[in-house]
Amino acid sequence: MRVLAEVHARDGYPVNWPDQPGEWLSRGPLLGSWVAEVEGGVVGHVSLSQGGEGDLAPTLWSERNGATRGMTAVVSRLFVAPRARGHRIGALLIGQAEEEARRRGLHPVLDVVASDTAAAALYERLGWKLMATVEQQWSPHQTVAVRCYAAPS
């Protein structure tokens, strides 16, 4: 939770700080979750799950590929400690989640808030394809632009 708090303070991720960060990290139908460590300390995290309510990328990918949402896996909860950036940790974590999705016969997808330009740049460097940018209503008083990506085939 300490690393997540550092990332939130610096980058504003997650956009809305969860009441229970530990529960937020493990929420949903998880297929896997990984951390990166440097010198015995956690410096990054990523999860892989089945698409849930509010995940837009699984629907977009399935519509474009004549498939069902169940044929996707959502990469989420990716963050890297500010002090550990620039060492490909984010790419390694995404690669681990992507590998697990493919091992299960699923296509990796993800949603990211449009304002997180650093994350979007990372996904694009790794070959992920932008499917769409859509407005999503997170609450009665919060509408957020979300970029939906699919991993390369």
Side-chain angles (χ1 to χ4, degrees):
M1 277 11 95
R2 180 185 51 75
V3 174
L4 182 60
E6 289 173 18
V7 170
H8 179 72
R10 174 160 178 191
D11 304 323
Y13 176 82
V15 172
N16 299 322
W17 183 255
D19 292 333
Q20 297 184 14
E23 186 178 302
W24 179 81
L25 285 173
S26 60
R27 182 179 0 178
L30 283 179
L31 300 173
S33 195
W34 299 267
V35 296
E37 294 182 357
V38 172
E39 298 177 1
V42 172
V43 295
H45 175 275
V46 70
S47 292
L48 184 70
S49 63
Q50 290 294 142
E53 185 179 330
D55 290 320
L56 302 172
T59 300
L60 287 171
W61 185 86
S62 64
E63 288 172 353
R64 291 176 182 202
N65 291 280
T68 65
R69 281 177 56 97
M71 294 179 72
T72 64
V74 178
V75 177
S76 62
R77 311 300 193 246
L78 173 67
F79 57 91
V80 175
R83 70 184 180 284
R85 292 178 184 167
H87 301 284
R88 298 198 36 82
I89 292 169
L92 291 170
L93 286 167
I94 291 169
Q96 180 64 45
E98 194 174 338
E99 181 180 310
E100 177 63 17
R102 293 187 193 286
R103 188 187 69 74
R104 292 171 177 260
L106 304 172
H107 194 89
V109 297
L110 61 84
D111 297 332
V112 61
V113 294
S115 60
D116 193 346
T117 56
L122 171 63
Y123 305 137
E124 291 173 11
R125 274 195 313 275
L126 295 175
W128 286 60
K129 303 298 178 204
L130 177 65
M131 294 184 287
T133 301
V134 297
E135 296 287 318
Q136 190 174 37
Q137 191 77 36
W138 282 8
S139 76
H141 307 289
Q142 187 179 30
T143 302
V144 178
V146 176
R147 296 171 62 98
C148 303
Y149 285 91
S153 295

